[in-house]
Every structure is written in structure tokens, then in C-alpha cells.
Amino acid sequence: GTTALNANVSTTNGAIDFNDPVSLTADVTVASGSGAVNFDNTVNGAFGLTVNSSGATTFTGIVGGSTPLSALTTDSTGTTALNANVSTTDGAVDFNDPVSLTAAVTVSSGTGTVNFDGTVNGAFGLTVNSSGATTFTGIVGGSTPLTALTTDSAGTTALNANVSTTDG
């Protein structure tokens, strides 16, 4: 089946698990207090997704693969694990919390900005495509070096922290 989200979802501290594909039909905020938020399949829809959790947020399936999101935002209190590509049309992608790569990932935002406000770690490659601004505020590859970091020639890139890769 498919889960269609057209309203906000919240728990006080319990986990929120989307095991089937998620289709956004409106701008949605998913909030779980200190519980984990898991997107175990794809997430699509031409709307914005905000995830607020002081626990772990995990994207296992492709985000915006068939229908790019208008924006994606995570809050600063938890962590985000990326196991698949992320695409928005021209909206911002804001990872306000530390990001852990669990696979090689491409983040694309059209003309939107891409912000990594926390650390980025993981023994995988990260590619960022945006004709807007790409900003790395936290240390990249500090505890687990990336295999590669690539940005496209469109847009700008601001490095406000150190970057470490293994072979890339």
C-alpha cells in the first residue's frame, strides 16, 4: 500500500514508522518528541516535509525520486541517516541536525539551497547538485571520513568547517 499524508503527524515520544511508500498531498510536519522517525520506503510529492525529532530520523528509500518534494527540513535536536538520494524542485533542503551517510547519496535541489548545519559523516560519497547555495556549517568527515564529496558547477559552495575524505 501507500500512505498519503495531507496533515501533520505527531507523537509525544513514540517512534513513527512509515514502512510503505509515502505520498505527500500537502505540506506536512512529522514530529515525534524523542522518538525515532523512519521512512523505510520512498517519499514523493510536490509538497514540503519537515521532520522534528530529538531522536533518529532515517530515510531508507529515495526521497523525491518520481515526484520531487518542494522542500525538506530536519530540526537540530536529533540525527538524520541518509541511505538514498534526495530531490526537491526548487525548494531548500535543510539538514539542521548531524547527518550520517549509510550509502552513496546525491542531494539535488534545482535552484534551492542545500544546507548541512550539523556534521556529515559516513564512509560513502556525497554529491550535492544545486544552482543555489550549498553550505556546510559542521565538520564533514570528522569522525567517519567520506569517500568523496562532489558539488556541481552551478551555484556556490560555502565551507565553514573542515572536510575529510578517505580516497576521494
Side-chain angles (χ1 to χ4, degrees):
T2 299
T3 298
L5 289 180
N6 63 3
N8 297 336
V9 176
S10 66
T11 64
T12 52
N13 290 313
I16 299 174
D17 293 306
F18 296 102
N19 295 309
D20 51 357
V22 171
S23 175
L24 302 178
T25 58
D27 291 337
V28 172
T29 298
V30 177
S32 71
S34 62
V37 177
N38 299 303
F39 293 91
D40 294 331
N41 213 306
T42 58
V43 180
N44 287 290
F47 296 93
L49 174 62
T50 300
V51 181
N52 296 327
S53 172
S54 61
T57 298
T58 303
F59 293 97
T60 303
I62 296 172
V63 177
S66 63
T67 305
L69 278 59
S70 65
L72 175 64
T73 304
T74 64
D75 67 351
S76 62
T77 59
T79 61
T80 295
L82 294 178
N83 191 57
N85 297 339
V86 173
S87 296
T88 65
T89 50
D90 292 322
V93 177
D94 290 313
F95 295 109
N96 293 305
D97 52 1
V99 171
S100 174
L101 303 178
T102 58
V105 171
T106 298
V107 177
S108 302
S109 72
T111 61
T113 59
V114 177
N115 299 304
F116 292 91
D117 289 333
T119 58
V120 180
N121 288 289
F124 300 93
L126 173 62
T127 300
V128 181
N129 296 324
S130 171
S131 60
T134 299
T135 304
F136 295 93
T137 303
I139 296 171
V140 177
S143 63
T144 305
L146 279 59
T147 58
L149 175 61
T150 305
T151 61
D152 63 354
S153 62
T156 61
T157 301
L159 296 174
N160 299 323
N162 294 333
V163 175
S164 296
T165 64
T166 53
D167 298 327

